[in-house]
Structure formats: structure tokens, C-alpha cells
Amino acid sequence: MVAALATYVLLPAVLVLRDYVIWKLVSVYVLNDNLRSEIRRYAMLSDDYKKNCSGSHDFPLGKEKEGFAFVAKSQKVSDELNKTKFYIDRKSRFLSWMLKHYKQDGKNPIDEWLKQAHEEVANKNRGKS
């Protein structure tokens, strides 16, 4: 009787409680507003970098100062992009590990958030044109 009670009542209750605690911790420490703002920031920086910093730019003689400023800005934006992407990827890998380790059926939403942020930036820029 005790074995049946433990197997069919206590164990499922403990697992439900464990899953609840896991998802609370994920929502507080992983899928939080800070991550969303970093994702939006990454999408904006990425769009800015694509428009303004990628490709080659030839500066005429006498415009070396503008050329150096451009290179410095593009390097700064590139560094920020890399740092932000590393932060996002770290959170995504941790969440994927947790979902797999605790056998959760949930899907990692970070990739979808990135896709949505890039679409929002693209739509905003289309509206400005």
C-alpha cells in the first residue's frame, strides 16, 4: 500500500513541484526582461552594422580622419555585436541543456525571440524608407 502511494501519488507530486520550480527559475534567471532587451539590442546593432559598417568604403585622399573614425566605429559595433551574441548564446545553451536534462517538452524560445526582433527592426526600417 505504501509503495503504491509513493509511486502513484507522492512521486508525481514531487515531479510536478520540481517542474514548477524549474520553470520559475528559468523565467526569473534565463527568460527575463534583460534577455529580451539584449535580443532587441542585438537585432538593432546587427541591422546597423549591415547597413553602415559592412563592405568596403573608399575614402578619398585628405579624408583619412573620416576613414579612421569609420573603422573605429565599425570595430566598436562589431565588438558589441559579439559580446551581445555571446550573452544570448550562453543563455540559449543553458536553457537547452536544462530542457534536455530535466526531460521537459518545452521548446527553447530564444531563437524565436531573435527572429521576431530581427523582423521588428526590418519592419521599422521599411516604415522609415
Side-chain angles (χ1 to χ4, degrees):
M1 173 95 163
V2 173
L5 180 68
T7 302
Y8 296 110
V9 177
L10 292 178
L11 184 61
V14 168
L15 291 176
V16 167
L17 182 64
R18 178 201 71 175
D19 292 348
Y20 176 78
V21 169
I22 288 170
W23 281 105
K24 276 296 186 188
L25 290 172
V26 163
S27 68
V28 169
Y29 293 107
V30 180
L31 300 177
N32 53 25
D33 291 336
N34 187 41
L35 178 63
R36 279 194 182 265
S37 66
E38 288 296 313
I39 287 173
R40 282 190 294 273
R41 183 170 170 258
Y42 176 77
M44 289 187 293
L45 282 171
S46 177
D47 188 65
D48 183 45
Y49 186 78
K50 285 177 192 171
K51 284 192 298 189
N52 300 322
C53 299
S54 63
S56 65
H57 295 277
D58 295 326
F59 293 95
L61 240 40
K63 299 283 186 176
E64 292 89 4
K65 197 176 227 181
E66 287 85 357
F68 288 129
F70 173 79
V71 170
K73 180 186 179 207
S74 65
Q75 185 61 44
K76 183 179 178 187
V77 171
S78 175
D79 291 345
E80 284 296 314
L81 267 172
N82 291 334
K83 186 172 84 171
T84 306
K85 183 66 171 151
F86 178 76
Y87 174 79
I88 294 167
D89 287 346
R90 188 179 50 155
K91 293 269 188 167
S92 182
R93 282 191 307 271
F94 178 72
L95 181 58
S96 293
W97 172 82
M98 281 192 68
L99 292 173
K100 184 178 176 184
H101 181 74
Y102 290 108
K103 297 175 180 73
Q104 299 294 305
D105 291 334
K107 182 183 169 209
N108 186 342
I110 295 175
D111 292 330
E112 186 64 32
W113 289 3
L114 270 169
K115 182 180 170 188
Q116 288 174 351
H118 282 292
E119 288 172 359
E120 287 173 11
V121 168
N123 289 338
K124 246 186 232 182
N125 291 336
R126 265 188 245 129
K128 288 180 181 179
S129 301

